Amino acid sequence: MTEIDKNVLKEVENNQKVEVVVKRESENGTAELDLVRVFSNMGKKKRVYAWVLIICMLVGLSVPMLMAELKDKTESVSAVITFLYDGAKLEQAPDETPLDINYITSSYILQNAINRTCLSENITVSSLERNMGIERLLTENTRQDLEVMEKVINEGKTGYDAVRDVIYQYDGKYILTLDNGFSSDPEAKNKVFLKGDELSNLLNNVIESYNEYFYETYMDMTLPDNNLDSISIEDHDYIEKLDEMVTMLNSLSEYCHDKDKEDFYEIRSKKDGMSFRDIDDCIKLIKDIDIDYLYAYVFYNGIAKDKKSMMTKYEFQLKNSQRELNVVEGNIKNNKQLISEYKNDKITISMTDQGTTQVNSAVTDYYNKLIMSQADDYVKKAELGETIANLNDKITGFKTGSSSKSQKEYVESELDSLVNICKALYSLTEEHAEEIIDSDSYKSSYMSYIGAQYVGESFFSANNIKKAVIGIVVGVVAALAIWFMDGFIAEFKRGSAESEMKKKEEVQA
Amino acid sequence: MSQTDNKTKHTAVTSGTAKKQQTAKETKKIPGVIKLYLGLFIIACVAGVIISIVSYFGKDKIKRNASVSIEFTYDGAAQNKTPGGEQFSINGITSEHVLSDALEIAGFKDKYTIDDLRSGMVVSGVYPQNVINRIKQYDSLYDFSESRTVSLDDYYPTVYSITLYDEFDSSISDSDLNKIVESIASSYKAYFINKYSYAYDMTDYNGLLKITDYDYTQRVKILKLRLGLLERYSGEMYKTNTSFRKNGISFNDIMLKASHIENESLSRTEATIITDVLTVSSARLRNQYEYEIQILENEKTYKNANLEEINALIDSYQTDGILYIPAGETVVKVESNSKETYEKLTDKKVEISKRLVEIDSEIERYNSYLEDLKKATYTASAKNDSIDTKLKEIEESVNELEKSFDVLVKEYNNSIVNESSVVLTDSKFSGAKLLSGSFIVSAVKRTVPLCIIVLLVCCIHMFFIENRKYRAEQKAKM
């Protein structure tokens, strides 16, 4: 045993600590590296390395921070559209035709949106369309059902049949997403980026122009034609004028209680408190006490400016109606024959185990159609019959009635005031409709939306914080490694210096 | 070897102290190096600031803008409803009315147009964080933990922010921009308060229905309509706020009074008119009744025929029996469309029969009126006069009731929709300024990492210098 070994052992006895000794066979003899001394070396330099540790941690923190700052942020904004009318959940438009939500990315809407937004860069319609996405939201129930079904399938449980029929129900909600980074070529590297609020403003304007398109298409607030001025034409006779007024008031009343406008039926004007419903009641009353009242007088007494031409006119109408009636009656007769001769399909059912057969007749669609058209024809016949009877009465009235000059004058003055009343009613309805169109609720009755929100990672998001922590840890590990290496190298040098010295001693000795 | 050990220890110690001495010496020398490091450090800081200035005014430039917040505090704002219960939309703020008033208040009416303002205005609602993700969320049945993100069905903002950018005039001063946006907000507030006020003004309609032009039965109809409209409106107002009272009157009182007039005085008057056959012009009345009867009789004849035909059709309709076919363990019912057709036919039949019943009752009514008319004797001018006055009295009371309803509604406006329903904040200006918060944040974000890296490089450099010196020392000793 060499002296070195003896000394080592002595130290072991004295200090009772276990040492790890590294032996290395080298040309210069063995060199021993003492791990404890490595650590003590490290300890000596701990002040230096405390600073190194801190700096490495800071570097580890700042590198991901810088990277996050400098990285190409592809941000995106999202908005939610909710359709408010009834058919939306069944994917119908307000007039019950299928709703095509993809129209929101049509060039008309997008070009409108681009025109409205002040953008610092030029965005083309095609690049905008490429960056837009639409997502439909299922209802909560459907999603819960799907979740259950997935679990059942995944766990291979039975009872699959029970959950098999998940009905996909939609909520009438759509999520629109717009990504930043526009280019006309999807592979292009140079993308145009919008800054600041421009991206969200653009998406909001897309929704705005879609909303406008929507209510322009599906909401029709145009009033019926105002033909009241043409009533004042001298050519028309009294009853004709009255007929025209009746038609106009009827269409005005229908306008008020139109089913498409039922959202606005009860909305009250902020000026006079009337709603379409109230206006409708007024129209009906005026028709009753004014128009019908005069109509009765003229009709029953056969008052006309020019009896002969009135009679001719009504006789002409009578002939027309009669002809129509003949056609309808012919149809009815034909149908009757068809129906009585029609043989319905026979269904033969054989039940094999009992060996019996059964024959039943089934009603076909064609037969049903025949029956329904017959019923409609009957109604038409009744209506025509009424019209003809009334025309006959009118003609009789003209024949027998004697319209004196005073009666005519009375009727004329009444007619003038009636025309004025109708005109006033029309303009009151028009004002009300204009007020509704101007109101906020008009433009927001079909859809509401949550404006564009930035959906992306904030600077302090979990992801970024994770990266920062990793950076710090890496820094700490690096610092410790350097520290250890430093101590190790010192010890190594010491070891090799020792062996050098030993060699010299040996040489000397 | 302990000696060598001691020696090495000693040398270690001495070299340590020597090193310390050396470092002491070096610290006196180091100032030169430290100056270099400080210089580098300052350069890094300055570089960072310059880079952020360049990008702040170049790539990331924020446009100058002034913004104001509007908050709605009335009931129903959170459900996107107006005070009247209709759908609300903030779009009124870009209407001509509001913007032209705003320009006038701010004094820029001749300088800028409404379209100028519209091009620079951005109106957006203030939403809670993460609102889109919360709407996408659904309550999972399996993952029902307390820390889950709560899902949202819908969210309607009650706070809106109005931002005005200097798009329309980049030379406009900061204070002017602020002034304009503040006047837009206050003009919108006035517009809002005015717009959602209620009123009740029947003058236009009453003008069309001048009572004195009509016969008594017609006058009764007019008064009935007016009372009916009043009842309906006051009923609606009562429903929205059952507790509102002013001067001891509530909406319910008006509604009850209106129905009282209708059911008591008006219907009594109507009864008198009918039984006593009071009329301004009996000839016209007779015309009216006879005309109506004639038309109705025509309708009746043809509808009767129609009914018979439909009945025959229904009888002749061959329906099929209900059929069951066995299929496996169950039975399947076979149906065709006959049920639907049968129902349609029956519906038609019911419609016609109903109308016939109506016609019959009306014909009866007119006939009885006609009979009374024929029997009546016309010395009843005194009765006519008394009915005239009675009707006038009722009309007066209806007029008064309408007026008091109008007053009550206006009071209601003042209490529900008033100055406190819309809250405005002061305007806030933000633009690319060197001392603005956002610039400072972005400058820090850029400078700090740069400085840290420079620091590290300096430390590593210092470390190597020291190491080299140390080794040189060691070599010198050896």
Side-chain angles (χ1 to χ4, degrees):
Chain A
M1 208 193 281
T2 58
E3 281 195 353
I4 298 171
D5 293 338
K6 276 194 205 142
N7 276 327
V8 166
L9 271 172
K10 226 196 249 174
E11 274 198 49
V12 171
E13 286 168 28
N14 291 344
N15 300 332
Q16 310 219 329
K17 54 188 177 192
V18 178
E19 293 187 349
V20 175
V21 177
V22 172
K23 279 197 173 193
R24 190 181 69 129
E25 289 292 332
S26 73
E27 302 174 82
N28 301 329
T30 54
E32 288 169 356
L33 300 172
D34 187 353
L35 203 62
V36 174
R37 278 203 215 109
V38 172
F39 281 118
S40 69
N41 281 342
M42 283 170 72
K44 282 180 202 153
K45 294 203 176 162
K46 64 170 172 257
R47 281 189 69 196
V48 176
Y49 277 98
W51 281 108
V52 173
L53 183 70
I54 291 174
I55 289 172
C56 281
M57 277 172 70
L58 286 176
V59 170
L61 172 64
S62 51
V63 165
M65 247 171 85
L66 253 185
M67 279 175 59
E69 263 296 296
L70 298 175
K71 145 180 105 155
D72 207 14
K73 283 186 282 214
T74 46
E75 43 174 34
S76 65
V77 288
S78 293
V80 182
I81 294 184
T82 313
F83 285 106
L84 301 171
Y85 57 91
D86 275 335
K89 301 201 174 159
L90 307 166
E91 290 198 71
Q92 286 176 341
D95 59 358
E96 294 178 8
T97 57
L99 173 71
D100 182 19
I101 188 69
N102 288 320
Y103 194 73
I104 204 171
T105 51
S106 72
S107 42
Y108 171 69
I109 304 271
L110 295 181
Q111 188 61 56
N112 236 332
I114 291 175
N115 289 344
R116 283 180 187 201
T117 331
C118 24
L119 297 166
S120 51
E121 310 274 353
N122 232 350
I123 308 277
T124 61
V125 168
S126 57
S127 58
L128 179 56
E129 194 208 338
R130 201 171 299 112
N131 284 22
M132 278 197 69
I134 307 178
E135 187 191 327
R136 214 164 39 164
L137 273 187
L138 294 162
T139 59
E140 182 156 354
N141 282 339
T142 312
R143 285 190 279 184
Q144 286 173 342
D145 285 348
L146 281 173
E147 198 183 17
V148 170
M149 191 168 93
E150 241 182 83
K151 210 154 197 236
V152 165
I153 295 174
N154 286 343
E155 297 179 9
K157 292 201 165 87
T158 52
Y160 175 59
D161 278 347
V163 296
R164 184 175 38 172
D165 300 314
V166 170
I167 305 172
Y168 282 76
Q169 283 178 320
Y170 293 96
D171 234 347
K173 272 206 179 78
Y174 295 87
I175 300 187
L176 289 180
T177 327
L178 179 60
D179 298 324
N180 209 347
F182 300 93
S183 63
S184 37
D185 179 12
E187 306 294 320
K189 293 287 178 186
N190 301 343
K191 295 201 173 169
V192 169
F193 283 90
L194 293 177
K195 309 165 213 148
D197 283 336
E198 286 175 356
L199 194 66
S200 21
N201 289 346
L202 185 58
L203 184 59
N204 281 338
N205 278 331
V206 169
I207 299 178
E208 281 278 321
S209 50
Y210 183 62
N211 192 17
E212 277 180 22
Y213 153 79
F214 212 76
Y215 67 75
E216 263 168 41
T217 316
Y218 296 112
M219 178 74 76
D220 189 10
M221 292 285 280
T222 42
L223 278 118
D225 288 330
N226 181 358
N227 55 4
L228 288 167
D229 285 329
S230 66
I231 291 180
S232 324
I233 296 174
E234 291 303 314
D235 287 355
H236 292 181
D237 212 319
Y238 308 134
I239 277 212
E240 288 174 309
K241 289 188 187 174
L242 283 168
D243 276 334
E244 277 174 53
M245 274 192 261
V246 166
T247 326
M248 222 257 342
L249 286 184
N250 277 339
S251 60
L252 207 59
S253 165
E254 267 183 41
Y255 175 82
C256 289
H257 62 245
D258 190 9
K259 187 173 160 295
D260 287 340
K261 296 193 204 64
E262 56 186 358
D263 287 337
F264 306 129
Y265 192 50
E266 308 245 5
I267 293 184
R268 293 192 173 269
S269 150
K270 303 298 176 267
K271 281 184 263 177
D272 54 21
M274 301 287 275
S275 62
F276 269 136
R277 188 173 176 189
D278 296 342
I279 296 178
D280 199 10
D281 287 342
C282 287
I283 293 174
K284 287 194 182 119
L285 180 68
I286 286 179
K287 186 161 152 298
D288 179 20
I289 62 180
D290 277 319
I291 315 268
D292 285 349
Y293 196 55
L294 189 61
Y295 201 96
Y297 182 64
V298 174
F299 183 99
Y300 207 72
N301 293 315
I303 303 172
K305 272 190 286 190
D306 182 351
K307 266 199 198 168
K308 272 217 182 87
S309 62
M310 285 308 292
M311 285 210 294
T312 322
K313 179 180 165 180
Y314 285 130
E315 274 167 4
F316 179 69
Q317 277 185 11
L318 189 64
K319 284 209 177 82
N320 277 338
S321 300
Q322 191 65 52
R323 227 172 307 159
E324 268 185 64
L325 185 63
N326 291 340
V327 169
V328 171
E329 280 182 339
N331 271 343
I332 289 177
K333 206 165 128 201
N334 286 339
N335 272 343
K336 227 183 199 167
Q337 196 156 15
L338 263 177
I339 289 173
S340 63
E341 289 175 355
Y342 192 80
K343 286 196 172 61
N344 269 314
D345 289 345
K346 304 253 181 243
I347 300 180
T348 311
I349 303 163
S350 58
M351 297 186 257
T352 46
D353 46 334
Q354 286 157 327
T356 53
T357 55
Q358 195 177 354
V359 176
N360 267 62
S361 66
V363 175
T364 58
D365 272 345
Y366 185 65
Y367 183 70
N368 286 337
K369 279 206 190 105
L370 277 181
I371 295 276
M372 285 317 293
S373 79
Q374 186 79 318
D376 289 335
D377 279 341
Y378 281 142
V379 171
K380 259 191 236 159
K381 181 173 149 193
E383 281 171 5
L384 282 168
E386 267 180 68
T387 320
I388 290 174
N390 286 335
L391 281 170
N392 272 325
D393 286 336
K394 269 187 188 151
I395 295 174
T396 326
F398 284 129
K399 279 196 189 133
T400 55
S402 60
S403 43
S404 66
K405 189 161 170 230
S406 62
Q407 278 177 325
K408 284 191 208 172
E409 278 172 7
Y410 173 70
V411 167
E412 275 170 21
S413 68
E414 281 288 304
L415 270 176
D416 281 339
S417 69
L418 280 188
V419 167
N420 286 335
I421 290 179
C422 287
K423 278 187 184 161
L425 256 186
Y426 187 87
S427 67
L428 282 169
T429 316
E430 200 174 29
E431 270 175 37
H432 187 85
E434 271 169 21
E435 196 184 323
I436 298 265
I437 290 174
D438 270 341
S439 74
D440 295 342
S441 59
Y442 178 66
K443 289 165 193 157
S444 55
S445 57
Y446 279 138
M447 62 178 89
S448 73
Y449 60 93
I450 292 186
Q453 307 285 311
Y454 174 65
V455 178
E457 289 185 2
S458 71
F459 194 69
F460 296 107
S461 71
N463 216 4
N464 283 350
I465 289 178
K466 229 194 316 178
K467 286 192 192 139
V469 167
I470 290 176
I472 292 176
V473 167
V474 165
V476 166
V477 168
L480 288 176
I482 296 174
W483 198 0
F484 184 76
M485 282 310 294
D486 193 21
F488 189 77
I489 287 172
E491 173 63 16
F492 183 71
K493 284 210 184 103
R494 194 201 62 84
S496 60
E498 255 191 27
S499 65
E500 285 271 333
M501 269 174 63
K502 230 185 62 179
K503 218 177 61 181
K504 278 182 191 161
E505 276 172 17
E506 281 171 14
V507 165
Q508 278 170 4
Chain B
M1 245 330 161
S2 51
Q3 282 176 331
T4 27
D5 271 0
N6 286 333
K7 228 207 270 179
T8 44
K9 271 193 203 149
H10 182 67
T11 34
V13 170
T14 45
S15 67
T17 41
K19 193 176 169 194
K20 275 190 193 147
Q21 284 169 356
Q22 272 186 328
T23 42
K25 276 192 229 158
E26 279 169 355
T27 40
K28 286 184 201 149
K29 273 196 243 165
I30 272 176
V33 183
I34 291 223
K35 272 193 201 148
L36 175 67
Y37 292 160
L38 273 174
L40 280 175
F41 192 77
I42 290 172
I43 290 176
C45 284
V46 169
V49 171
I50 290 177
I51 292 176
S52 33
I53 289 181
V54 163
S55 69
Y56 193 71
F57 286 97
K59 188 166 78 88
D60 293 340
K61 180 162 182 183
I62 299 177
K63 290 183 268 196
R64 281 196 312 157
N65 62 69
S67 61
V68 146
S69 277
I70 296 186
E71 184 181 359
F72 294 103
T73 57
Y74 59 88
D75 256 347
Q79 285 79 39
N80 205 34
K81 300 269 184 222
T82 66
E86 299 140 30
Q87 282 287 100
F88 172 70
S89 157
I90 191 71
N91 288 328
I93 201 165
T94 50
S95 66
E96 277 194 42
H97 190 101
V98 171
L99 293 181
S100 64
D101 273 353
L103 281 174
E104 221 174 295
I105 295 173
F108 290 104
K109 194 164 182 202
D110 301 322
K111 199 167 176 199
Y112 303 117
T113 66
I114 290 177
D115 282 323
D116 284 339
L117 288 188
R118 278 198 191 130
S119 67
M121 265 179 79
V122 171
V123 180
S124 56
V126 172
Y127 294 93
Q129 215 195 25
N130 231 5
V131 69
I132 304 266
N133 283 334
R134 286 171 71 184
I135 287 204
K136 277 191 190 174
Q137 202 88 346
Y138 67 99
D139 285 332
S140 160
L141 293 173
Y142 293 105
D143 190 16
F144 208 77
S145 61
E146 272 186 39
S147 60
R148 75 190 194 288
T149 326
V150 179
S151 67
L152 258 185
D153 246 346
D154 266 317
Y155 183 83
Y156 299 111
T158 50
V159 181
Y160 291 88
S161 87
I162 321 284
T163 319
L164 185 65
Y165 289 91
D166 64 351
E167 289 289 319
F168 54 99
D169 181 6
S170 43
S171 66
I172 191 174
S173 72
D174 296 347
S175 59
D176 281 347
L177 202 62
N178 274 342
K179 200 168 162 194
I180 295 181
V181 82
E182 275 178 0
S183 59
I184 291 178
S186 53
S187 148
Y188 180 70
K189 177 170 174 172
Y191 163 88
F192 181 87
I193 291 175
N194 197 14
K195 192 173 170 104
Y196 295 106
S197 333
Y198 290 99
Y200 193 62
D201 187 5
M202 283 279 283
T203 31
D204 286 334
Y205 294 89
N206 290 342
L208 293 179
L209 299 163
K210 277 199 253 5
I211 266 198
T212 44
D213 292 345
Y214 297 99
D215 202 348
Y216 301 130
T217 34
Q218 296 171 329
R219 292 186 206 182
V220 166
K221 282 186 191 168
I222 292 173
L223 290 171
K224 258 198 201 155
L225 174 75
R226 284 169 67 176
L227 285 167
L229 295 181
L230 195 57
E231 266 175 76
R232 198 191 297 159
Y233 199 177
S234 55
E236 280 171 26
M237 294 304 292
Y238 181 60
K239 251 196 252 172
T240 55
N241 192 329
T242 49
S243 58
F244 179 74
R245 291 188 147 261
K246 193 79 187 185
N247 299 333
I249 310 177
S250 76
F251 290 118
N252 200 25
D253 294 333
I254 295 189
M255 188 175 78
L256 289 174
K257 198 154 180 209
S259 81
H260 178 86
I261 297 178
E262 192 178 343
N263 296 334
E264 298 287 317
S265 10
L266 193 60
S267 54
R268 256 185 282 133
T269 317
E270 196 184 4
T272 321
I273 294 174
I274 292 179
T275 39
D276 292 348
V277 196
L278 299 171
T279 167
V280 167
S281 152
S282 65
R284 288 292 299 271
L285 208 56
R286 179 187 282 164
N287 271 338
Q288 179 78 18
Y289 295 151
E290 284 171 339
Y291 169 73
E292 294 284 348
I293 292 174
Q294 195 166 38
I295 301 272
L296 285 168
E297 289 281 359
N298 281 340
E299 201 184 341
K300 181 174 170 179
T301 326
Y302 287 95
K303 282 230 152 62
N304 267 330
N306 198 2
L307 187 65
E308 276 181 29
E309 287 164 340
I310 294 272
N311 273 333
L313 198 60
I314 291 179
D315 285 340
S316 77
Y317 185 62
Q318 298 168 21
T319 56
D320 37 30
I322 301 176
L323 203 60
Y324 287 98
I325 298 182
E329 292 176 343
T330 54
V331 278
V332 168
K333 190 169 160 188
V334 174
E335 280 191 56
S336 65
N337 283 342
S338 68
K339 184 166 152 226
E340 207 183 299
T341 318
Y342 199 75
E343 277 177 358
K344 277 194 205 156
L345 283 176
T346 324
D347 282 343
K348 269 200 165 58
K349 172 180 169 173
V350 164
E351 204 183 310
I352 300 174
S353 321
K354 255 171 74 177
R355 179 68 188 139
L356 277 171
V357 168
E358 274 174 28
I359 293 176
D360 273 336
S361 81
E362 282 196 23
I363 292 180
E364 216 186 290
R365 186 164 61 99
Y366 283 124
N367 270 326
S368 76
Y369 289 166
L370 206 55
E371 287 221 5
D372 291 340
L373 193 58
K374 284 180 185 155
K375 279 190 265 171
T377 51
Y378 285 98
T379 54
S381 62
K383 279 194 189 160
N384 269 13
D385 285 341
S386 81
I387 279 291
D388 224 350
T389 26
K390 197 75 215 289
L391 281 170
K392 277 209 181 84
E393 274 174 29
I394 298 180
E395 192 194 357
E396 267 308 304
S397 58
V398 172
N399 279 342
E400 269 193 43
L401 203 58
E402 281 173 357
K403 272 200 201 99
S404 59
F405 181 67
D406 189 24
V407 164
L408 193 60
V409 160
K410 287 202 167 82
E411 293 287 342
Y412 181 72
N413 287 337
N414 288 337
S415 71
I416 301 297
V417 180
N418 52 28
E419 293 288 315
S420 65
S421 314
V422 181
V423 176
L424 305 175
T425 61
D426 285 332
S427 65
K428 198 177 70 161
F429 182 83
S430 60
K433 266 196 178 149
L434 281 174
L435 293 176
S436 65
S438 53
F439 173 71
I440 290 176
V441 166
S442 76
V444 165
K445 272 198 223 166
R446 292 209 160 84
T447 322
V448 167
L450 269 176
C451 289
I452 289 176
I453 289 181
V454 165
L455 200 65
L456 181 69
V457 166
C458 295
C459 289
I460 293 177
H461 187 234
M462 183 152 78
F463 178 74
F464 275 118
I465 290 180
E466 257 193 56
N467 215 12
R468 235 186 296 144
K469 284 200 175 131
Y470 178 66
R471 259 187 269 153
E473 272 173 34
Q474 297 293 64
K475 271 207 178 119
K477 279 195 187 124
M478 314 243 322

